[in-house]
């Protein structure tokens, strides 16, 4: 006699199957280019070619709030070096013009200024894009803003206004999504764009001395992505390659230190308190930075092992079948910290 399987006993199996990682139809390899002058080094072009990178998110300029003029101001405008345009002409990677807008700017701008800002952004972005080689397609435009619940109305209005302008039409419009914006979407809202790009870094409390690594820790990431599959936009992913040092004076956050080699810290005689925590033992100056006895420095980086842990967590939650994985950012110093195989795995682990 055949036994009948009760249907309710199949529910756990069905739910388990639904939680299995999605097999991607495709993963497009990308990099961010976040410098004001586009000039590629030999190691940077070699990486782009070896890794078969298909997309570059290029920062065209920043938009900040000018308190004196009481209006938005574009700064750090992109300058194109002839060597970069020459390489691009022979390598038709897609270019995604990207503009970073400060949250302060979106908080301060008045309602009537939003359309004026959109028109100014459109004009400057169009002019910058015209300097790019014709061989490089521009299928997408991205806005990058750390918006909050108090600035979302202005920011979302700006996005809507931009989408109606010629340079943005017939192109996908994307917005960067911070982890807290994803987790607390009911509070911060969903931007009116075609796609989001989830920034999987800068997730810990940078200013707390108790934080281990504010750039990336898989355990910290997991706290933000429990309902990632419910986010109502197709999501791409950005992963970090950068590092920095965090300075504390009298137990309080005192700023970021960049470009200070570990070797300089070691030569100074700093006392190593833990794997990545150091205490300055005497007043000294290192690479132009002045330190006092008792200052504490925490070394933070994007550890390859943590990146792979993060991609496995993301892969189990993301439901977008075709995604771009963008590494932040293209720079010789960052690239030298990883082997080609490690960079390959960062991309491939999202399949």
């Amino acid at each position: 006699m055949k036994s009948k399987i009760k249907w309710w006993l199949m529910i756990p199996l069905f739910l388990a199957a639904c939680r299995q990682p999605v097999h991607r139809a495709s993963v497009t390899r990308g990099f961010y280019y976040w410098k004001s002058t586009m000039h590629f080094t030999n190691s940077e072009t070699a990486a782009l070619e070896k890794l078969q990178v298909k997309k570059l998110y290029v920062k065209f300029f920043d938009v900040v709030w000018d308190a004196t003029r009481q209006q938005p101001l574009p700064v750090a405008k992109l300058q194109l070096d002839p060597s970069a345009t020459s390489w691009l002409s022979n390598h038709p990677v897609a270019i995604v013009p990207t503009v970073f807008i400060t949250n302060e700017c979106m908080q301060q701008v008045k309602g009537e200024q939003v359309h004026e800002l959109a028109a100014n952004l459109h004009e400057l972005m169009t002019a910058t894009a015209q300097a790019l080689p014709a061989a490089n397609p521009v299928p997408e435009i991205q806005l990058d803003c750390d918006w909050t619940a108090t600035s979302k109305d202005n920011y979302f209005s700006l996005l809507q206004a931009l989408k109606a302008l010629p340079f943005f039409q017939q192109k996908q419009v994307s917005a960067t999504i911070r982890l807290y914006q994803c987790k607390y979407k009911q509070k911060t809202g969903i931007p009116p764009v075609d796609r989001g790009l989830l920034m999987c870094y800068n997730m810990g409390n940078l200013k707390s001395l108790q934080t281990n690594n504010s750039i990336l820790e898989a355990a910290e990431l997991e706290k933000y992505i429990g309902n990632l599959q419910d986010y109502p936009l197709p999501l791409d992913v950005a992963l970090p390659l950068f590092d920095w040092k965090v300075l504390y004076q009298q137990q309080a956050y005192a700023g970021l230190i960049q470009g200070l080699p570990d070797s300089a810290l070691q030569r100074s005689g700093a006392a190593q308190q833990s794997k990545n925590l150091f205490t300055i033992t005497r007043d000294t100056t290192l690479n132009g930075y002045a330190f006092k006895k008792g200052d504490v420095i925490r070394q933070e980086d994007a550890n390859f092992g943590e990146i792979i842990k993060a991609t496995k967590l993301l892969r189990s939650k993301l439901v977008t079948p075709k995604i771009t994985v963008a590494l932040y950012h293209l720079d010789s110093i960052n690239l030298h910290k990883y082997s080609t195989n490690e960079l390959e795995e960062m991309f491939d682990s999202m399949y």
Side-chain angles (χ1 to χ4, degrees), residues 20-38:
Q20 293 302 307
V22 172
H23 179 74
R24 307 286 162 220
S26 68
V27 174
T28 299
R29 297 180 176 191
F31 264 93
Y32 271 91
Y33 193 88
W34 214 251
K35 303 174 187 177
S36 295
T37 299
M38 179 177 272

Side-chain angles (χ1 to χ4, degrees), residues 14 18-19 31 51 53-54 82 119-120 168 186-187 199 202 216 224 245 274 276 292 294 299 304-305 328:
F14 173 76
C18 291
R19 288 193 293 267
F31 264 93
L51 295 168
V53 171
K54 302 299 183 185
N120 291 337
F168 284 74
Q186 289 82 8
K187 182 178 180 181
M199 300 173 66
N202 295 1
L216 173 63
Y224 289 91
K245 291 177 172 62
S274 63
N276 66 335
K292 293 186 176 296
Q299 169 65 31
F304 171 69
Y328 182 88

Side-chain angles (χ1 to χ4, degrees), residues 3-168:
S3 61
K4 293 183 179 180
I5 300 176
K6 294 180 173 61
W7 64 269
W8 61 84
L9 296 178
M10 299 298 294
I11 292 176
L13 296 175
F14 173 76
L15 293 176
C18 291
R19 288 193 293 267
Q20 293 302 307
V22 172
H23 179 74
R24 307 286 162 220
S26 68
V27 174
T28 299
R29 297 180 176 191
F31 264 93
Y32 271 91
Y33 193 88
W34 214 251
K35 303 174 187 177
S36 295
T37 299
M38 179 177 272
H39 170 77
F40 297 141
T41 65
N42 290 337
S43 59
E44 290 164 2
T45 56
L48 292 173
E49 292 169 22
K50 286 180 182 178
L51 295 168
Q52 300 181 52
V53 171
K54 302 299 183 185
K55 187 184 288 189
L56 282 176
Y57 295 82
V58 178
K59 182 171 74 73
F60 274 21
F61 51 90
D62 300 331
V63 181
V64 301
W65 181 253
D66 187 323
T68 302
R69 300 179 184 178
Q70 287 293 294
Q71 65 183 29
L73 180 70
V75 297
K77 300 175 187 177
L78 181 69
Q79 303 295 317
L80 291 168
D81 185 272
S83 63
T85 54
S86 175
W87 185 88
L88 288 171
S89 296
N90 295 296
H91 299 82
V93 298
I95 301 295
V96 180
T98 303
V99 173
F100 172 72
I101 306 176
T102 66
N103 184 50
E104 179 192 15
C105 182
M106 296 318 305
Q107 288 176 322
Q108 296 292 337
V109 69
K110 305 297 186 293
E112 63 273 13
Q113 291 178 304
V114 169
H115 284 273
E116 181 182 354
L117 174 58
N120 291 337
L121 289 179
H122 179 264
E123 181 180 0
L124 184 52
M125 292 184 77
T126 303
T128 307
Q130 287 174 345
L132 294 170
N136 302 101
V138 180
E140 177 186 344
I141 301 171
Q142 185 171 97
L143 278 295
D144 178 19
C145 179
D146 188 7
W147 87 88
T148 59
T150 57
S151 61
K152 69 176 181 180
D153 289 343
N154 280 341
Y155 181 52
F156 292 0
S157 294
L158 175 66
L159 291 171
Q160 292 280 29
L162 287 170
K163 290 176 68 175
L165 297 174
F167 185 59
F168 284 74

Side-chain angles (χ1 to χ4, degrees), residues 4 68 111 131 147 158 164 195 219 248 275 281 303 320:
K4 293 183 179 180
T68 302
W147 87 88
L158 175 66
R195 300 183 71 87
Y248 299 88
K275 184 179 179 181
T281 55
N303 176 271
T320 308

